[in-house]
Amino acid sequence: MTGTELLNTIHTLYENNVDFPTPTDEDYLTRLAYLNQAIQSWQNEVFNGYLWSELFTTTTQAYTASTIANFMHPERLYVANKEYMYIQPYEAIEKIANGFQEQFYYITGGANNKVINIYPTLTAGDYSISYYKLATLYTSGNISQHIEMQNPNYAIRYVLSQLYNADGDLNLGGQSLQEAERYMAQMRTGLDNTPMSSYSIITDLNEGFGV
């Protein structure tokens, strides 16, 4: 489903009509914000050990392109088909200071400014990196894109729960949230994660190198 289709479905279920709000209406903007909250909630299941296949990606960049968008955690990096080891920044500082000859890379920078540091420093060529990325949030510019989430019903029910709670209808809000959790549980059940990969990502994120 696209972002527009999601918002239209939410409106129909909530208002029981098809008089959809325009992108500048307060109702539209409120629901869009709740929709992005639902997407972030799904994304952050990584902290519970669930890694969504939709958020694994690979990109190839010139050696001069050190920044990377929507980065959450590295998986593998290759230069000329040779894999480089990922290490934490404090390990890199120690290895570089002691003149180690290993080939490795590490990540620095804040949540929206991740920088890939390759050692020894590349002077030419490309590198390819596989990583776990941040989920795509909706804006006016990408609302026609399909949601990355395998089961969009989670997002729909999550938004409805927030709308009902804001209205003071905690009964309907609670029911919608229970339905959302049921869809989330279905998505979790469909995963085939490796415990080591899950542990690695969660450990690094909790140490401050994630979102």
Side-chain angles (χ1 to χ4, degrees):
M1 297 180 74
T2 67
T4 298
E5 290 170 337
L6 286 164
L7 291 173
N8 287 349
T9 299
I10 291 165
H11 175 89
T12 301
L13 291 171
Y14 181 65
E15 301 284 3
N16 199 30
N17 64 56
V18 292
D19 186 18
F20 305 127
T22 66
T24 57
D25 289 342
E26 183 177 353
D27 285 344
Y28 180 97
L29 296 174
T30 298
R31 295 166 192 176
L32 181 63
Y34 286 147
L35 178 57
N36 282 332
Q37 283 183 16
I39 293 171
Q40 289 178 311
S41 172
W42 170 74
Q43 165 199 282
N44 290 338
E45 280 293 295
V46 64
F47 294 106
N48 296 322
Y50 298 101
L51 310 177
W52 310 116
S53 60
E54 298 89 341
L55 297 183
F56 283 103
T57 189
T58 300
T59 187
T60 298
Q61 301 186 150
Y63 79 96
T64 52
S66 60
T67 59
I68 193 164
N70 298 323
F71 185 90
M72 195 168 187
H73 184 276
E75 284 293 304
R76 287 171 171 75
L77 184 143
Y78 294 90
V79 177
N81 295 322
K82 180 176 178 59
E83 183 173 359
Y84 279 52
M85 177 177 60
Y86 167 70
I87 63 175
Q88 296 284 6
Y90 67 86
E91 296 177 279
I93 292 171
E94 180 179 349
K95 288 179 180 294
I96 294 171
N98 290 324
F100 278 75
Q101 298 303 308
E102 302 174 39
Q103 294 174 316
F104 57 82
Y105 74 104
Y106 58 101
I107 308 296
T108 56
N112 297 315
N113 187 32
K114 296 295 185 185
V115 177
I116 299 169
N117 304 271
I118 300 174
Y119 183 84
T121 303
L122 298 181
T123 58
D126 299 333
Y127 65 89
S128 177
I129 184 169
S130 299
Y131 60 99
Y132 194 73
K133 74 183 189 70
L134 299 173
T136 301
L137 302 181
Y138 282 115
T139 66
S140 59
N142 68 355
I143 199 67
S144 62
Q145 291 184 15
H146 283 79
I147 193 170
E148 293 164 318
M149 193 181 303
Q150 182 185 39
N151 193 335
N153 285 305
Y154 169 76
I156 292 170
R157 296 299 169 179
Y158 178 97
V159 174
L160 287 172
S161 74
Q162 301 305 305
L163 293 172
Y164 289 132
N165 286 340
D167 289 342
D169 193 335
L170 302 184
N171 183 43
L172 280 178
Q175 290 179 16
S176 296
L177 188 58
Q178 286 182 347
E179 292 173 354
E181 286 301 320
R182 178 166 57 86
Y183 288 120
M184 177 67 83
Q186 290 175 358
M187 288 189 285
R188 292 176 186 140
T189 302
L191 289 177
D192 182 21
N193 290 325
T194 59
M196 183 60 71
S197 179
S198 301
Y199 176 80
S200 173
I201 290 180
I202 294 166
T203 300
D204 290 340
L205 288 176
N206 287 336
E207 288 180 358
F209 298 104
V211 293

